[in-house]
Amino acid sequence: MFTARSRGELPGGDNSLGTIPNRIESVRKLIKKLGPVEKLRVCYEAGPTGYVLYWQLAELGVQCEVIAPSLVPVKAGDRVKTDRRDAEKLARSYRSGDLTAVWVPDEGSEALRDLVRAREAAKQDELRARHRLGKFLLRSGHRPLTGVRSWTHLHLIWVSQIRFTQVAQESTRLDYLHEVEHMRERVLRLEQAIAEAVKLASPALQEVIQDLQALRGIAHISAVTIAAELGQVSRFAGARHLMGYCGAVPSENSSGKRTRRGSITKTGNAHLRRIVVEAAWSYQRPPAIWAGLRKRQQSASEEAKEIAWKAQHRLHKRYARLAAKGKDKRKIVTAVGRELLGFIWAIGTKAEAIARQRIAA
C-alpha cells in the first residue's frame, strides 16, 4: 500500500488521491487518472519493497525517482507523522528539488546483489554456530590439541571424537556440530551459485570483477561483492564521491575558524565498507606478489595490475607512517581502507571503459 499525492490547484498545490494498493493493476489505473505519462514525474522513498514499483512505472513510460529516506528534509519540532503528511512533504520537496535520488540497479545487478548478501548472512550464521560450539566445549573443559587451528579439518575431527557421559550434553554437542557443518555447506553452496551467476553477468561487470582481483586483499568473493554493491562504478564522478557513498569520510562540526573532524560517518553502504576495511588489513605487510595474487592477476588487465602495484606501495607507506605515530590500528586500517576506495574507483572505471570499447568494436 502507498499514499499518493499529485500537484494540483488546491491550497498548498497538492491533491490527495488516498491510499492505493501496491499492485500493477491499481498503479496502472492511477497513472491513467493522472494524465499523459510524458508530463508525469513520480518519486517514492526507498524501503523494504525494493524497486518493483520503479520498474512497473518505467514499463508504463513514467519518469520515476527513488528517494533516499535519510536525506529527506525534516522540520525541527515536527512530532506528527502520518502517511498522508509524509506523502505531502515528499511531493513538495520533490517539486522544489530538495530530494536526493538513489541509483536504481537493473534486475540482473539486483539479483546478484541479493545472492551476495545471502552469502554474507550465511557467513554470519556460520560464525554464530561456531561460537556456540566453541563456547560449549570451553565450558565443559575441552581444549583442542596444541598447534591445531580452529575450524580446520583436524579441528573438526577432534570435535567429532569427543564424547560426553551425560546424554543431554552429548545431544547438545551433536546438535551444535551438525549446525556448524550445515552452515559450512550452505556457504559453499552459495559461493558456487555466485560463481555461476557471474558467468551470466554483463561483460562490463565481469571485467570489473576480474580487474579488482589484481588488488591485494581482494579475491573473487570480495571482488563480486564490491562490484554488486557498486553496480556501475562510473556513476561516481570521482573517488571522493565513492568514499562518501561508502560512509568512510570523517564527520565534521566546524564553525568560523574552528575546524573539528570526528570519526567516519558510517552513513553509507555498510556491506561495501566492511569488505574494503577487511582488505585494508593486508596492507600492513610490505609490497609483494606471491603465488596466489599472481594467479588472480592472470585474467586482469595490465592497467589494473599497474594501479594495484601503486596501491601496494602507497597504502603500505600510509599504514607504516600512521603506525609510527602511535595511532590505533583500527583507525589506521580505516584510513587505509578509505584510500583503497580510490584505487577501486580507478580500476573499476577503466575496466568499464575497456568493456565498452570491446562492445563497440
Side-chain angles (χ1 to χ4, degrees):
M1 306 291 287
F2 64 93
T3 304
R5 297 192 71 86
S6 66
R7 295 172 57 180
E9 302 302 329
L10 295 179
D14 298 313
N15 291 337
S16 176
L17 300 178
T19 301
I20 295 93
N22 189 5
R23 299 188 181 92
I24 183 61
E25 299 82 8
S26 302
V27 173
R28 186 180 291 110
K29 290 180 181 178
L30 173 65
I31 297 303
K32 288 182 179 179
K33 184 187 300 185
L34 292 176
V37 294
E38 315 80 48
K39 298 182 180 180
L40 293 181
R41 299 293 181 272
V42 179
C43 73
Y44 72 93
E45 287 186 351
T49 55
Y51 305 110
V52 176
L53 179 59
Y54 173 90
W55 291 325
Q56 291 175 354
L57 293 172
E59 289 180 359
L60 297 174
V62 180
Q63 180 178 336
C64 176
E65 289 185 308
V66 184
I67 306 303
S70 60
L71 300 180
V72 175
V74 179
K75 291 183 180 179
D78 190 358
R79 296 294 184 270
V80 180
K81 184 185 184 304
T82 64
D83 291 341
R84 181 167 179 166
R85 282 174 173 262
D86 287 347
E88 180 180 351
K89 180 176 64 175
L90 206 62
R92 290 179 176 176
S93 299
Y94 187 53
R95 182 171 51 202
S96 61
D98 294 334
L99 301 179
T100 302
V102 301
W103 178 76
V104 179
D106 56 39
E107 294 187 11
S109 299
E110 179 74 359
L112 181 59
R113 188 172 67 177
D114 287 341
L115 182 58
V116 168
R117 291 186 178 181
R119 186 259 177 192
E120 182 179 342
K123 288 292 292 183
Q124 294 173 353
D125 293 340
E126 181 186 35
L127 181 63
R128 295 189 186 100
R130 287 177 172 181
H131 281 174
R132 293 189 191 102
L133 177 57
K135 300 304 182 289
F136 168 71
L137 295 176
L138 185 64
R139 289 196 307 271
S140 59
H142 289 81
R143 304 288 193 280
L145 299 175
T146 304
V148 177
R149 294 180 58 186
S150 299
W151 311 116
T152 59
H153 182 64
L154 291 177
H155 181 262
L156 292 176
I157 291 177
W158 169 75
V159 174
S160 63
Q161 292 175 346
I162 295 176
R163 295 294 182 272
F164 289 91
T165 56
Q166 295 293 327
V167 177
Q169 283 186 315
E170 180 63 17
S171 299
T172 302
R173 182 192 68 85
L174 290 173
D175 183 76
Y176 283 166
L177 180 58
H178 177 268
E179 189 64 18
V180 169
E181 293 174 347
H182 171 67
M183 288 298 108
R184 179 176 59 84
E185 293 172 358
R186 178 186 170 194
V187 171
L188 293 175
R189 185 171 62 250
L190 288 171
E191 289 179 352
Q192 181 62 33
I194 289 174
E196 296 298 327
V198 169
K199 296 178 182 178
L200 303 176
S202 64
L205 188 61
Q206 292 184 14
E207 189 74 27
V208 171
I209 292 172
Q210 291 175 359
D211 284 359
L212 285 178
Q213 294 182 65
L215 287 166
R216 185 174 197 165
I218 297 180
H220 183 258
I221 294 296
S222 298
V224 175
T225 302
I226 293 171
E229 294 296 336
L230 293 180
Q232 185 180 357
V233 185
S234 56
R235 66 190 175 96
F236 298 98
R240 291 184 180 275
H241 292 84
L242 178 54
M243 296 174 188
Y245 173 79
C246 188
V249 295
S251 57
E252 185 171 353
N253 184 12
S254 301
S255 178
K257 296 182 179 180
R258 186 197 68 184
T259 301
R260 181 181 297 171
R261 293 186 177 88
S263 58
I264 60 174
T265 61
K266 293 186 179 181
T267 56
N269 190 309
H271 304 277
L272 177 62
R273 186 171 61 250
R274 179 188 62 81
I275 287 291
V276 172
V277 171
E278 285 181 359
W281 281 99
S282 63
Y283 290 93
Q284 58 184 310
R285 302 183 182 88
I289 303 293
W290 60 96
L293 181 58
R294 185 177 296 107
K295 183 178 180 180
R296 296 204 307 266
Q297 290 184 349
Q298 289 178 356
S299 57
S301 63
E302 293 299 325
E303 294 87 346
K305 294 178 185 178
E306 183 179 351
I307 295 173
W309 186 242
K310 290 181 180 178
Q312 285 210 45
H313 284 275
R314 177 180 174 85
L315 298 182
H316 174 68
K317 288 181 180 178
R318 173 75 165 163
Y319 188 99
R321 186 163 57 250
L322 293 175
K325 293 181 180 180
K327 299 289 185 180
D328 183 85
K329 275 192 175 183
R330 292 168 296 181
K331 294 183 178 179
I332 296 174
V333 170
T334 301
V336 172
R338 181 167 57 246
E339 290 199 26
L340 177 59
L341 284 166
F343 292 100
I344 290 174
W345 178 84
I347 290 179
T349 51
K350 285 186 178 295
E352 291 178 351
I354 292 173
R356 286 194 297 268
Q357 292 175 0
R358 289 178 179 174
I359 294 174

